[in-house]
């Protein structure tokens, strides 16, 4: 991989061929255009047109973003905003693509810098542009200082998703301090009828979808934690109009490709224009640029659809699978994995893991993953992190016997690591106490008894790459679960000058990406999962370098329904790992049947994390059957088009999802019942995304449709008449498959 954040892949995507997205065939001839008379740039992709131009002040201003326009449509040159009153200079109402903080700007700036001579004013104007096969580069410059900003634009031909980023260049003769830097500002058409969708959470409760009417003022989504965070995810979707819903209405959506502290500001200004500005978090931020140096922002991706938030999700899924993921455009379906964590926690050893592996192989597991506890003096979470040598008591002959055993059982082998952390009780920390984030003479706040290694340091980067490379070179490891179990405190970097120290927010993440990239280059077959105490580090930046993510430590199969519902708003089920674990589940002490747990997890990448030593014959039989069924449907579940038929949110008694294969030859439906009441039947399910004229045969995977349901009917029938599911009781689940027969 040559460039960061998947930018190079966006170029590849521009050459994309026609792909049916959600059953509609999209236009292939994506284009980049320049109307020189009006100085308007236009990007077309999928069903979307995006246009911006140079206004009479020389500012770069948004012209249009919405449904695809005809190639014949000529767009008007933009006109800068007007002065509403003397209190608001026109810069506040001009929908600038990338506004410098200066000239009396009060809305969120994209860029704020200060100069050594005390000047803090920056006004960016168009200088030049280059149109390439893969997009547009526009250069802006301050009205007097030699500070330049290159804005990069690309569009994905299949989905119309745009990628924008900025490079800030200091060509003055003195250092400048960048105090705030966004990747882009996205301007939406003027409206006072917008609803913002975003994702919030915490450990064990990630991916909760929030919806709120957008009012004048700003809503800030952010992480100040040094990494993406469980609390907010760098994704947004804005719906217009009160009738906009899952499958209808206009939606503008986007996600930031950055795994460090980030911020997205959604701001309705005083003339009801909506701007979404996102990039590095400006909190505690300062990036000093010496003369000649530059700063590159992450990419902020965004798209538009006229077909509801469901279609917005499907476009994002398609884009991630075809363009972002390391194995794009054809990622391998996720293997069924077994993970030892909930079964054995830190008490791993050769005999115990081999016994679990034997049982896992019997039910059809394809990848056996040993979790925490195999290294250093790791008996609890108090010690050992940082010492990545195999524990000689637990594994007297190293990992080889276990790995050989796993291979002999027909599975590949995966291993848990938490490379960026150290327990103070470790040889590494005793040797290198200066390697952690810290302010000299200040307390070092521990969380889970651990501190954060400062990956921005070259020696720490070399150490982390070195031990991982050695592990992968010396052992036949197919998969790493890469964990990250706390957020930052005292983010000092004493080894560099005080005015360079805040660079840690960027250099840390760049080195993380660099290590992942180099490991993948050197060990191209190794797959990696991004985990951060569950779903604390999921974003389009890390997804360009990892194959799957651990969505939440919460493995309660009922809680998972709303967690997965929220997750799929932003990210593809093709990376969404979900394990079947023990019942009652440790999270809520809830008891559910094994088939309920399987069906909940089968909506993403399936894993098993139960203690198989406690299973009886019937459990093994159920698991074997459902894993075999899953292997038949996983391509569609992971890579197909997802329709959220009934949402589990807001205390719903019901929830259902449907996945349709891209060629519409099959659909998989999962339906869940919390608890039946008052003899009400399960609501009829109206399927979506099928070929209306084709005939489909219905077949049960688990549970059943009512006996009145025809075995074969048209796609139109299943979508219009619908399907009745026979389900009563508490925590019930059913799954069925429709297969095209002609
Ligand atoms: C984190 C992960 C878990 C498990 C533990 C091990 O909490 O999310 O899945 O790996 O660490 O310590």
């Amino acid at each position: 991989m040559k460039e960061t954040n998947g930018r190079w892949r966006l170029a590849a995507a521009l050459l994309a061929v026609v792909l049916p997205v959600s059953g509609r065939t999209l236009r292939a001839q994506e284009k980049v255009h320049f109307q020189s008379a009006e100085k308007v740039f236009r990007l077309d992709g999928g069903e979307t047109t995006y246009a911006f131009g140079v206004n009479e002040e020389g500012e770069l201003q948004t012209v249009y973003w919405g449904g695809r326009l005809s190639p014949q449509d000529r767009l008007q040159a933009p006109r800068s905003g007007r002065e509403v009153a003397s209190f608001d200079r026109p810069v506040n109402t001009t929908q600038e693509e990338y506004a410098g903080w200066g000239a009396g700007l009060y809305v969120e700036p994209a860029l704020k810098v200060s100069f050594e001579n005390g000047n803090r004013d920056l006004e960016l104007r168009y200088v030049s542009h280059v149109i390439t096969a893969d997009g547009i580069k526009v250069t802006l410059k301050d009205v007097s200082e030699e500070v330049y900003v290159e804005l990069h634009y690309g569009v994905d031909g299949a989905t119309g998703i745009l990628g924008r980023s900025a490079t800030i260049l200091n060509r003055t003769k003195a250092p400048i301090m960048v105090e705030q830097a966004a990747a882009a500002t996205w301007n939406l058409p003027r409206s006072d009828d917008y609803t913002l969708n975003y994702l919030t959470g915490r450990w064990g409760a990630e991916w909760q979808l929030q919806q709120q009417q957008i009012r004048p003022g700003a809503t800030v989504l952010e992480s100040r934690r040094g990494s993406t965070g469980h609390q907010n995810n760098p994704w947004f979707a804005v719906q217009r109009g009160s009738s906009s819903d899952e499958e209808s209405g206009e939606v503008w959506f986007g996600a930031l490709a950055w795994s460090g502290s980030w911020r997205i500001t959604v701001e309705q200004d005083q003339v009801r224009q909506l701007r979404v500005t996102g990039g590095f978090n400006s909190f505690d931020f300062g990036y000093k640029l010496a003369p000649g140096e530059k700063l590159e922002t992450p990419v902020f991706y965004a798209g538009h659809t006229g077909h509801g938030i469901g279609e917005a999700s499907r476009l994002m899924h398609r884009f991630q699978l075809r363009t972002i993921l390391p194995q794009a455009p054809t990622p391998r379906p996720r293997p069924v994995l077994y993970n030892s964590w909930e079964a054995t926690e830190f008490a791993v050893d050769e005999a115990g893991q081999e016994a679990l592996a034997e049982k896992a192989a019997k039910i059809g597991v394809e990848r056996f993953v040993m979790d925490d506890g195999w290294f250093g003096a790791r008996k609890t979470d108090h010690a050992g992190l940082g010492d990545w040598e195999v524990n000689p008591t637990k594994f007297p002959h190293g990992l080889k016997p276990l790995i050989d055993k796993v291979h002999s059982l027909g599975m590949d082998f995966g291993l848990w690591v938490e490379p960026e952390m150290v327990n103070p009780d470790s040889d590494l920390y005793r040797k290198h106490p200066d390697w952690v984030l810290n302010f000299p003479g200040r307390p070092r706040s521990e969380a889970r008894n651990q501190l954060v290694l400062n990956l921005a340091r070259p020696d720490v980067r070399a150490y982390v790459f070195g031990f991982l490379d050695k592990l992968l070179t010396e052992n036949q490891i197919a998969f790493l679960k890469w964990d990250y179990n706390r957020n930052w405190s005292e983010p000092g970097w004493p080894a560099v000058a005080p005015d360079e120290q805040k660079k840690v927010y960027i250099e840390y993440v760049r080195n993380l990406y660099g290590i992942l990239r180099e490991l993948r280059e050197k060990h191209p077959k190794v797959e990696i999962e991004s985990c951060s105490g569950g779903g604390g580090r999921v974003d389009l930046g890390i997804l360009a370098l990892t194959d799957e993510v651990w969505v939440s430590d919460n493995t309660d199969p009922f809680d998972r329904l709303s967690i997965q519902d929220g997750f799929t708003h932003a990210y593809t089920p093709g990376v969404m790992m979900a394990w079947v674990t023990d019942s009652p589940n440790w999270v809520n002490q809830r008891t559910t049947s094994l088939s309920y747990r399987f069906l909940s997890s089968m909506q993403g990448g399936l894993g098993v994390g139960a203690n198989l030593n406690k299973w009886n014959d019937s459990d093994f039989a159920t698991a074997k059957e459902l894993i075999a069924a899953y292997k038949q449907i996983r391509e569609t579940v992971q890579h197909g088009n997802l329709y959220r038929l009934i949402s589990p949110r807001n205390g719903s008694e019901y929830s259902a999802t449907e996945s349709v294969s891209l060629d519409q030859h099959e659909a998989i439906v999962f339906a869940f019942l919390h608890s039946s009441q008052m003899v009400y039947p399960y609501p009829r399910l109206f399927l979506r995304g099928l070929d209306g004229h084709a005939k489909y045969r219905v077949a049960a995977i688990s549970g059943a449709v009512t006996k009145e349901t025809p075995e074969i009917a048209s796609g139109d029938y299943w979508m219009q008449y619908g399907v009745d599911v026979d389900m009563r009781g508490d925590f019930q689940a059913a799954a069925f498959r429709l297969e095209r027969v002609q």
Side-chain angles (χ1 to χ4, degrees), residues 203 341 346 371-372 378 416 448 481 483 485 531-534 550 553 579:
W203 174 84
W341 174 245
F346 300 97
D371 210 279
D372 199 349
R378 190 79 165 161
W416 180 95
R448 209 194 191 205
K481 173 177 170 183
D483 212 337
N485 272 315
C531 172
S532 172
W550 183 226
D553 277 350
W579 305 343

